Amino acid sequence: GENVEQHPSTLSVQEGDSAVIKCTYSDSASNYFPWYKQELGKRPQLIIDIRSNVGEKKDQRIAVTLNKTAKHFSLHITETQPEDSAVYFCAASLTGTASKLTFGTGTRLQVTL
Amino acid sequence: EAGVVQSPRYKIIEKKQPVAFWCNPISGHNTLYWYRQNLGQGPELLIRYENEEAVDDSQLPKDRFSAERLKGVDSTLKIQPAELGDSAVYLCASSLGPGFPGKYFGPGTRLTVL
């Protein structure tokens, strides 16, 4: 089955700096890669996703890059703000009838003033 | 639109007791997922339904867990009997179809087994 590794497990940045979280996956057939933000005690919320036919996707301050050859993808948050503090999960999935999200272990991001 | 609804939000039981969780997906969403999230970890899929059919239950511990989605809308996940290791947050999610897995999560049920 799919295995997703995520690094770092914790990340502390100063407000205004950039944050980068990296994930690797094992199944080369995976073709859908979402990122979720989970605040303490809240549900995971989809913040951005990318499909395998795209190398990069951007939405305001967040962007995701995908390297299919190396089987890794990354989340980039620019101009971080205190409200970005949360746990971020990457995931990989096969779409279609075999769809199944495999999540990484999460990165706790702390944005300090 | 209303989001995924789950109840109860919290449940505390003693080991060996039964427990049930309920989920109502977003209207029109044919695909429903149950995930388990242990403390400090990412969610793990337990079962996926396409309408009323369970199409992936390979991660469901079938000796004690069961699930149903009789009319292809709301769903119930049951544990009987509960064990200490079952303490976790149980998340329900729904999507229009398998092309967008787990896109909309419910608030979860936090289960504590004493």
Side-chain angles (χ1 to χ4, degrees), chain A residues 4 16 36 47 76 81-83 90 92 106 110 112:
Chain A
V4 178
Y36 287 84
I47 56 172
H76 304 252
Q81 302 169 1
E83 51 265 39
C90 63
Q110 181 70 43
T112 58

Side-chain angles (χ1 to χ4, degrees), chain B residues 15-99:
Chain B
K15 63 181 181 182
K16 299 185 182 180
Q17 294 299 305
V19 64
F21 315 123
W22 177 80
C23 171
N24 190 265
I26 293 172
S27 178
H29 280 197
N30 296 323
T31 306
L32 183 145
Y33 310 78
W34 282 102
Y35 288 88
R36 176 169 60 188
Q37 186 174 25
N38 292 311
L39 189 64
Q41 298 182 19
E44 295 177 305
L45 181 70
L46 292 174
I47 190 168
R48 174 171 66 95
Y49 281 93
E50 296 294 341
N51 299 300
E52 65 273 12
E53 182 182 1
V55 296
D56 184 356
D57 63 356
S58 57
Q59 302 283 71
L60 190 73
K62 298 180 184 64
D63 57 335
R64 298 184 298 107
F65 285 64
S66 64
E68 60 183 16
R69 193 186 185 199
L70 294 176
K71 296 182 179 179
V73 181
D74 56 345
S75 175
T76 302
L77 178 69
K78 298 179 182 178
I79 309 175
Q80 183 171 9
E83 297 179 353
L84 295 177
D86 296 331
S87 295
V89 175
Y90 291 82
L91 293 162
C92 178
S94 71
S95 64
L96 283 169

Side-chain angles (χ1 to χ4, degrees), chain A residues 2-107:
Chain A
E2 177 63 275
N3 181 51
V4 178
E5 294 189 355
Q6 183 171 348
H7 301 280
S9 57
T10 59
L11 179 61
S12 182
V13 299
Q14 284 196 324
E15 184 180 6
D17 287 350
S18 296
V20 180
I21 302 170
K22 299 181 180 181
C23 290
T24 60
Y25 61 99
S26 61
D27 191 339
S28 57
S30 290
N31 57 8
Y32 175 65
F33 307 92
W35 286 88
Y36 287 84
K37 175 183 180 182
Q38 188 173 29
E39 297 176 61
L40 189 62
K42 301 287 183 64
R43 72 190 74 189
Q45 289 193 309
L46 179 72
I47 56 172
I48 195 167
D49 56 10
I50 192 168
R51 293 187 177 272
S52 58
N53 58 347
V54 176
E56 184 174 356
K57 185 176 179 180
K58 189 173 182 180
D59 183 3
Q60 298 183 335
R61 295 186 299 108
I62 59 173
V64 58
T65 59
L66 171 65
N67 184 327
K68 283 214 70 179
T69 303
K71 290 190 286 188
H72 66 71
F73 56 113
S74 301
L75 177 71
H76 304 252
I77 306 174
T78 59
E79 300 173 16
T80 53
Q81 302 169 1
E83 51 265 39
D84 295 330
S85 296
V87 178
Y88 291 81
F89 292 98
C90 63
S93 174
L94 296 170
T95 58
T97 56
S99 68
K100 175 178 173 178
L101 272 180
T102 300
F103 284 81
T105 49
T107 296

